[in-house]
Amino acid sequence: LDSAALQAALDRIVARHESLRTSFRTIDGEAVQVIGDVDQGFALAHADLRGMDGHEAALAEEARAPFDLATGPLIRGRLLRVGDDEHILLVTQHHIISDGWSMGVLVREVSALYAAFSAQQADPLPPLAIQYADYAAWQRGWLKGEVLDQQTGFWSEHLAGAP
């Protein structure tokens, strides 16, 4: 494993996607999205578990670790070294900044960046045309009036009787 290339790839992912640098604070009683600096990097802890029994405790500890929405980061990782040539990368994200679809994007982009950086090449990814906040603003503009009424009616009927 080229740990420097991995760290650089993860740092680049955070710089590339505003949502991964976002925290949520309450200001004057309103929830406010705050986007962090582009150079804040990816919080990656390292643990050498060679010679220890299993790594399940580290997995459970990561799964239980809370997030602070106000201060972030809302994405973090642990690189577990479990053998001389074996590592486990844990990436944990709060659902407020990611979903199942975005996990596929993350894996593809980290893979492409790691391959390039470990070969001493430049970032191969094209610039993003829009950020998630741009999409969310468009969606808020679209989801009003008759469209909102239709969507609300559909989901109210679909979820009728749900707990």
Side-chain angles (χ1 to χ4, degrees), residues 6-7 10 12 15 27-28 36 48 70 73 85 88 100 102 110 112-114 119-120 124 135 138 156 162-163:
L6 178 61
Q7 183 69 60
L10 293 168
R12 177 68 189 112
I27 299 175
D28 296 329
D48 190 339
D85 294 317
I88 297 172
S102 60
V110 168
L113 289 165
Y114 177 78
Q120 309 304 311
Y135 170 75
W138 166 82
S156 294

Side-chain angles (χ1 to χ4, degrees), residues 5-8 18 27 29 31 43 51 55 57 65 67 72-73 80 83 86 93 105 115 118 136 138 161:
L6 178 61
Q7 183 69 60
E18 289 178 349
I27 299 175
H55 50 271
F67 288 99
L80 309 177
E86 185 178 0
Q93 300 179 74
V105 172
S118 63
W138 166 82

Side-chain angles (χ1 to χ4, degrees), residues 86-158:
E86 185 178 0
H87 297 79
I88 297 172
L89 174 63
L90 306 175
V91 176
T92 308
Q93 300 179 74
H94 193 286
H95 191 67
I96 200 168
I97 64 161
S98 68
D99 58 16
W101 180 82
S102 60
M103 288 302 299
V105 172
L106 178 79
V107 169
R108 284 190 303 276
E109 290 189 358
V110 168
S111 296
L113 289 165
Y114 177 78
F117 293 165
S118 63
Q120 309 304 311
Q121 297 173 350
D123 178 346
L125 301 176
L128 293 174
I130 64 169
Q131 291 287 334
Y132 186 77
D134 300 321
Y135 170 75
W138 166 82
Q139 188 179 46
R140 275 193 306 274
W142 169 77
L143 193 58
K144 59 185 174 185
E146 186 177 327
V147 174
L148 177 60
D149 292 342
Q150 289 173 346
Q151 291 292 317
T152 302
F154 170 82
W155 286 108
S156 294
E157 182 178 318
H158 185 71

Side-chain angles (χ1 to χ4, degrees), residues 51-65:
M52 298 181 151
D53 290 335
H55 50 271
E56 292 79 13
L59 297 171
E61 180 183 334
E62 177 60 32
R64 284 191 307 271

